[in-house]
Amino acid sequence: MPFVDIDQISALVREHAARFGLRHPTAAVAGRVPSWVPFGLQVRRRRGGRVLVVDPRFGDLSPAEQSAMVAGVMTAMAYFPAYLRRLSLVSVPLVLVAGIAGGLMSAFLGSPRALGVLLLFLGWIPAVVLVVRWYTYTVDRAVVETFGRTTLDAAFDFERRTPLKAAHPVRLISPSVDRRVKRLERLRTPSGSPM
């Protein structure tokens, strides 16, 4: 079993938390992370706040990949409130339109209520996809600005080497590594548009 230095990871978590002004997580603990998180890190709520749970698979990563994954998770935590705000702003109008359309169809066309529920769900899916893509690009840019491009490249190398399964929900709604790289390259050119 690979060795994972929880104290060293906790020190890195505290350093990144201070950098982003985060109250939590400020510590790492050993534990099990779901198999769908291949790099073995996951933020979880515990009494007193959130902690970064570290799984033995994290020990299989190179030091550069470990550093990149902790940096990515902490950056994602820093931008998570903005993600929730944007998800609310984007999804509420889409869900309202879908809900009204479903209600009108039920009332005037005699269609089943299940169709209204289906339309609500279908209105929510585009909102989630749009916001997850925005969030991914925003976190990528913030990682580059805060930790440097080599940090993000280490994470990209790991993702290319350990891709999620084709039917994995995260893979279905997130931009691919190649798209993320192209987006970053466009931002570096003078004609690139801001995210």
Side-chain angles (χ1 to χ4, degrees), residues 33-45:
V33 172
S35 61
W36 58 268
V37 184
F39 50 88
L41 288 181
Q42 186 179 48
V43 176
R44 287 206 194 128
R45 188 176 294 279

Side-chain angles (χ1 to χ4, degrees), residues 128-138 140 156 159 164 169-181 183:
V128 170
V129 171
L130 287 171
V131 176
V132 164
R133 287 177 182 267
W134 167 84
Y135 182 58
T136 302
Y137 293 135
T138 299
D140 285 349
F156 285 163
E159 288 184 40
L164 296 172
V170 172
R171 185 170 177 189
L172 293 174
I173 64 174
S174 296
S176 68
V177 170
D178 291 337
R179 282 185 169 211
R180 292 163 66 189
V181 169
R183 179 70 175 248

Side-chain angles (χ1 to χ4, degrees), residues 25-72:
T26 55
V29 296
R32 287 279 170 208
V33 172
S35 61
W36 58 268
V37 184
F39 50 88
L41 288 181
Q42 186 179 48
V43 176
R44 287 206 194 128
R45 188 176 294 279
R46 294 267 170 100
R47 260 181 281 144
R50 291 183 179 90
V51 296
L52 185 63
V53 177
V54 183
D55 170 294
R57 289 172 297 159
F58 185 74
D60 293 332
L61 277 61
S62 71
E65 290 169 342
Q66 288 181 351
S67 180
M69 294 306 169
V70 174

Side-chain angles (χ1 to χ4, degrees), residues 62-126:
S62 71
E65 290 169 342
Q66 288 181 351
S67 180
M69 294 306 169
V70 174
V73 168
M74 296 302 289
T75 306
M77 284 299 301
Y79 283 87
F80 192 70
Y83 163 79
L84 292 178
R85 282 192 302 276
R86 185 161 291 218
L87 183 60
S88 298
L89 289 172
V90 172
S91 64
V92 168
L94 287 173
V95 168
L96 282 175
V97 168
I100 290 168
L104 290 173
M105 288 177 71
S106 292
F108 293 114
L109 301 176
S111 62
R113 290 189 192 272
L115 183 59
V117 172
L118 178 64
L119 283 174
L120 273 172
F121 182 69
L122 292 176
W124 187 69
I125 289 174

Side-chain angles (χ1 to χ4, degrees), residues 141-163:
R141 186 180 65 192
V143 168
V144 170
E145 290 171 354
T146 308
F147 301 101
R149 179 63 191 258
T150 56
T151 298
L152 191 60
D153 286 341
F156 285 163
D157 289 345
F158 175 81
E159 288 184 40
R160 283 188 180 107
R161 201 174 66 248
T162 317

